[in-house]
Amino acid sequence: MKKFVIKPKIYFNEGSMEFLKEIKGSCAFIVSDSVMEKLGYLQKTIDYLYETGIKSVVFTEVSPDPDVRVIAAGMKRYLETNADTIVALGGGSVIDAAKGILYSLWQFRKAAGEEFKKPLFIAIPSTSGTGSEVTNFAVITAEGEKVCIVDEWMAPDIAILDSTCIQHVPQSVVADTGIDALVHAIEAYVSTEATDCTDALAEKAIQLIFENLRTLYKDVTDSSARERIQNASCIAGMAFTNANLGINHSLAHALGGTFHISHGRSNALLLSAVLEYNANLNSNTSRNVSEKYAKLAAILQLPARTNREGTINFMQAVADLRKSLGIPSRIRDLGIDKSNFENEVSNMVELALHDRCTPTNPRQPSREDLIGIYQKAF
């Protein structure tokens, strides 16, 4: 039996942060970072909450790829408050950190035999890629390795997609997060847990990304493109939180953690090799994947007279999109030494094989398969 869950209430488009004025409570624990503080969004959040009588306690010690030390520090700070609301204000790392704090508090209380009443959890993303504001996924770094945690308890209760929050995002972040959202949608679309519901979400997200990401990359002040890419990221998040992901993410978690590459860029560097592997055009075993890629080609109005033609044209369109966003086509283009990369491949493959995203990949890879994908992407 399969289920489909859409948990958060979603408020979106410019000005939606004002919904914070309607929140009921006494104390909010705000997880954010120095960027949102500098841009003034942190103070705006505090002010909106204050208007309804909610005082705020702020934790801004979050850095990219939050690790267990950040989670521990956040837990300690939270326990000093009587917060009945948690607000995550920032990019994927901030929202993941808030999830990690919340999840760890729950586990800590449970281990002690104590009840922990979950506070109201509000997520306000400042980038358009992770979809973390609507998912039950979090990626936390432990001892240099990225660990994927999946639990419905971490899903936000409310997601606020205020497009003004992403109007200061640099071009490189627009590119990386946009491709991350694209990978979410593509992997959810061909996942072994895909359903008609998740397919509909994935198709729409992919269409929105191809129609608007180049525009946003060229001009982040374009409000229409900002809103549509933010919506696409959220829609893709809803797709993959129900259908899960695949080896593109498994391999990216290991690559990014090992060589300190941003998550979105890690996904982008591996995408073409993974698409080719999953399509497996020289075998009938992946016919369903090829059919789905061909359907995406048709949705994007690419030639797709046969599944093979559609698949090839879709993969080329993805490569062209990545190139137009200034993202390198190979891992080696980042300046990573070949011998260093080869020395790490074995360990990265082991991490990817045990990643939570691997079981739902449409082809179950062997160790040798993953080595081949890394080598091709390098």
Side-chain angles (χ1 to χ4, degrees), residues 9 16 36 44-45 75 103 141 143 150 153 192 209 221 241 244 247 275 293 298 308 310 322 358 368 371:
K9 291 182 179 179
S16 55
M36 298 308 284
K44 181 183 289 188
T45 301
M75 284 178 61
Y103 182 78
T141 302
E143 297 182 354
V150 184
W153 210 82
T192 58
I209 289 166
T221 66
T241 201
N244 209 344
I247 58 171
L275 288 174
Y293 288 166
R308 184 180 184 87
R322 184 194 61 219
T358 298
E368 290 69 30
I371 290 173

Side-chain angles (χ1 to χ4, degrees), residues 207-254:
Q207 183 180 14
L208 286 171
I209 289 166
F210 268 91
E211 289 175 352
N212 295 280
L213 186 55
R214 288 185 179 91
T215 301
L216 185 62
Y217 178 74
K218 294 175 182 177
D219 182 12
V220 76
T221 66
D222 188 308
S223 60
S224 176
R226 278 206 318 271
E227 289 179 2
R228 281 164 176 75
I229 290 299
Q230 193 173 45
N231 291 343
S233 173
C234 181
I235 293 168
M238 288 188 283
F240 87 76
T241 201
N242 282 281
N244 209 344
L245 296 164
I247 58 171
N248 208 124
H249 269 75
S250 304
L251 294 165
H253 289 151

Side-chain angles (χ1 to χ4, degrees), residues 283-299:
S283 170
N284 289 326
T285 59
S286 293
R287 187 173 61 181
N288 184 54
V289 175
S290 181
E291 288 175 353
K292 283 202 154 184
Y293 288 166
K295 187 174 182 180
L296 291 175
I299 289 170

